[in-house]
Amino acid sequence: MYNVLEFWQRALLFPLTMLLVSLSLWGIFGALPAALFFGITILLRMIGNLRKLAELEYWSLAPDSREVPEDSGLWEDVFARLNKIMRKQHEEREKHAAALHQIEQATSALPEGVAILDEADHIEWCNPLAEAHFGLDSARDVGQQITYLARQPEFVQYLTLANYEAPLVLRGTRQDDIVLSIKVVPYGINKKLLISRDITHLERIETMRRDFVANVSHELRTPLTVVNGFVETLQDMEHLDNDMSRRALDLMGEQTKRMEGLVDDLLTLSRLENSLNALVEEVVDVPVLLQSLQQEGQALSAGKHTLKLELDSKAKLQGCNAELRSAFGNLVSNAVRYTPQGGEIVMRWHEQADGKVAFSVQDSGIGIAPEHIPRLTERFYRVDRSRSRETGGTGLGLAIVKHIVNRHQGSLEISSEEGKGSTFSIVFPAKRHLT
Ligand code: ADP
């Protein structure tokens, strides 16, 4: 603890002792020699202090590389304390450097690229994998805007739109065919963590899987058409009077038709999944499309249901006519197939308050228990297999709908109550709504 009294005792000890010595000298040699003695000793003492001050100043200009000056007198305590502070500071710095080194090692070992961006997307820091993914050099590129270095339009748009819910799949960031999955996590005050993952391998497997399904479906098409052709020819033969043969032929006909349906749906799904297959953008006159779908629905229902069409809006849509026909048609066909005779089906086209437009199909059919609803759009997910099969279902209809809806940036909403009926709605964003 700092003791003021002790400091003054030590500080005044020398001048007071010199004063006493001078006073005794006065008695022996007179005033002048005594004053001279006192003056010289105090001056020497002052020079000594100034020298220490000069040493302190010299040290303070580069405290890290120079030793704290030493003294055994009045300055001793100050220097000792300074020494202690410096040692502690040095230890703290070593500790921080070690921690930083560890963090650097950990982020370098991360299997993902990580970069910190400021509010204007300038790179503040990046790990080696991010350097490799975006072709950066942290020594050269820190402080640069990332969109200046990685210029893919979809990447620039992803950062500008700032909608980071879904990751962005980015191809061709460099010369090689690397595929990246990009995620942005905002944190702190306007800072962003840019995380990139190399999904080239996953993409390759996914492409192989897609190609395989597409190829198998394609290969099955021709033999199925041939078999179906023969079955139909045999069915048409008048002298085929054996009951068993006729039943067998009818069954064969039914099953080959089912397989044809399956193959067609699988091919449709493969086409929709292929990211190289861009959406055809055209103006779709939805009211006209729905009138034609109502007629198709009535034909499918064969008079067993009442099928109403409510056109609350004349809005047209920006999108692909064939895909929208397929999605809407699937919902109508499901409503017919899962609604018992005498039921009512209402198709509706309406605008929402937020500028979005929606197509919905409401039926008074068998409904769906809540636990099944989240899984309905999975391929081959069926609540009741036999009912789906009996009514000619493939289990792929809603998977196709979901893909088409995603391609139009829309959402599929399902509400249903078992035994009462269901409502399937496709909601399109306002930007697709044409008046
Ligand atoms: P499926 O070809 O079997 O109809 P979908 O993918 O079109 O295949 O539908 C998946 C499942 O969702 C169906 O098997 C059925 O159980 C259920 N489902 C679809 N639409 C309706 C509906 N309108 N009412 C009740 N259940 C439905």
Side-chain angles (χ1 to χ4, degrees):
M1 228 192 40
Y2 180 58
N3 190 337
V4 192
L5 199 67
E6 194 187 318
F7 171 79
W8 285 112
Q9 275 173 359
R10 288 180 62 191
L12 294 177
L13 183 68
F14 180 77
L16 287 179
T17 316
M18 287 307 120
L19 191 66
L20 280 178
V21 174
S22 303
L23 285 176
S24 357
L25 287 177
W26 194 348
I28 307 168
F29 301 108
L32 190 64
L36 263 176
F37 173 80
F38 186 68
I40 288 169
T41 48
I42 292 297
L43 191 70
L44 284 176
R45 182 69 171 186
M46 207 172 85
I47 290 172
N49 277 341
L50 285 176
R51 228 186 69 214
K52 287 291 154 200
L53 189 63
E55 278 177 31
L56 191 64
E57 193 181 3
Y58 173 74
W59 166 82
S60 71
L61 292 175
D64 286 331
S65 53
R66 291 173 189 164
E67 290 283 317
V68 178
E70 280 178 19
D71 189 58
S72 52
L74 198 56
W75 292 86
E76 186 183 0
D77 284 358
V78 178
F79 289 159
R81 234 167 271 138
L82 263 181
N83 235 333
K84 214 162 136 191
I85 291 170
M86 288 309 290
R87 248 201 330 271
K88 207 159 158 200
Q89 227 177 46
H90 184 71
E91 276 167 20
E92 298 258 299
R93 215 175 303 149
E94 297 254 286
K95 237 194 286 179
H96 288 158
L100 202 68
H101 182 63
Q102 270 205 352
I103 292 173
E104 258 174 19
Q105 273 189 327
T107 47
S108 303
L110 271 180
E112 289 170 343
V114 183
I116 293 178
L117 307 180
D118 69 6
E119 69 268 40
D121 296 335
H122 294 122
I123 305 167
E124 290 194 343
W125 173 88
C126 64
N127 74 348
L129 215 52
E131 290 183 84
H133 286 163
F134 292 100
L136 306 174
D137 174 353
S138 57
R140 189 192 58 207
D141 296 331
V142 162
Q144 293 263 28
Q145 204 156 20
I146 188 139
T147 45
Y148 182 72
L149 303 159
R151 295 168 178 229
Q152 275 84 347
E154 43 300 21
F155 178 61
V156 177
Q157 196 188 23
Y158 186 67
L159 283 183
T160 327
L161 289 181
N163 179 7
Y164 306 129
E165 263 169 44
L168 168 77
V169 175
L170 194 61
R171 290 181 176 77
T173 38
R174 299 186 330 222
Q175 267 73 4
D176 44 10
D177 280 339
I178 182 172
V179 185
L180 294 177
S181 167
I182 309 275
K183 255 177 116 175
V184 173
V185 185
Y187 77 98
I189 301 167
N190 291 333
K191 295 243 169 163
K192 280 174 244 158
L193 211 55
L194 179 79
I195 302 168
S196 54
R197 195 153 66 95
D198 186 346
I199 53 162
T200 317
H201 187 59
L202 283 177
E203 275 274 308
R204 215 164 279 153
I205 295 173
E206 184 58 20
T207 310
M208 266 165 58
R209 182 194 66 77
R210 256 198 326 257
D211 287 353
F212 176 75
V213 175
N215 289 337
V216 169
S217 313
H218 204 74
E219 291 296 326
L220 282 175
R221 219 179 195 173
T222 318
L224 266 175
T225 315
V226 173
V227 172
N228 207 14
F230 278 119
V231 170
E232 279 174 5
T233 316
L234 285 171
Q235 278 175 322
D236 289 344
M237 281 177 144
E238 279 167 15
H239 57 270
L240 191 84
D241 42 20
N242 181 334
D243 248 13
M244 253 260 295
S245 316
R246 195 157 282 287
R247 260 211 317 279
L249 275 177
D250 285 349
L251 262 176
M252 279 165 77
E254 228 173 76
Q255 293 306 316
T256 43
K257 284 256 156 49
R258 209 170 91 73
M259 274 178 82
E260 273 182 339
L262 255 172
V263 166
D264 284 346
D265 278 359
L266 281 171
L267 281 172
T268 306
L269 259 181
S270 303
R271 254 198 319 275
L272 292 172
E273 276 183 336
N274 192 341
S275 51
L276 300 176
N277 183 9
L279 183 74
V280 178
E281 299 277 3
E282 53 197 348
V283 178
V284 183
D285 192 335
V286 180
V288 170
L289 173 66
L290 292 182
Q291 272 155 3
S292 128
L293 283 176
Q294 186 191 18
Q295 282 170 12
E296 281 177 25
Q298 269 157 349
L300 188 69
S301 152
K304 291 192 194 116
H305 313 88
T306 33
L307 219 140
K308 280 196 210 156
L309 172 61
E310 290 178 4
L311 290 175
D312 299 342
S313 162
K314 288 193 172 65
K316 294 180 181 174
L317 261 193
Q318 166 98 11
C320 172
N321 194 48
E323 289 188 17
L324 292 173
R325 169 177 269 277
S326 161
F328 294 175
N330 254 305
L331 295 189
V332 176
S333 132
N334 278 356
V336 171
R337 288 168 41 235
Y338 296 103
T339 303
Q341 192 161 358
E344 189 185 65
I345 295 159
V346 183
M347 300 158 63
R348 242 183 113 207
W349 179 236
H350 61 280
E351 285 171 37
Q352 294 184 345
D354 51 6
K356 294 179 177 174
V357 268
F359 168 67
S360 61
V361 184
Q362 185 183 0
D363 65 51
S364 59
I366 58 172
I368 309 153
E371 67 269 24
H372 296 295
I373 292 180
R375 300 195 57 190
L376 291 184
T377 55
E378 288 174 21
R379 289 145 201 246
F380 299 114
Y381 188 85
R382 285 169 281 203
V383 178
D384 178 351
R385 233 156 233 287
S386 56
R387 178 161 189 134
S388 159
R389 210 165 283 154
E390 270 164 33
T391 55
T394 58
L396 294 171
L398 288 180
I400 292 175
V401 172
K402 180 84 189 164
H403 270 288
I404 295 174
V405 170
N406 283 348
R407 277 161 72 85
H408 287 79
Q409 297 84 39
S411 59
L412 176 66
E413 292 167 12
I414 306 169
S415 66
S416 186
E417 208 177 319
E418 231 176 338
K420 293 226 167 120
S422 321
T423 305
F424 285 73
S425 307
I426 302 178
V427 184
F428 295 95
K431 64 174 182 186
R432 294 209 163 265
H433 173 185
L434 304 172
T435 43

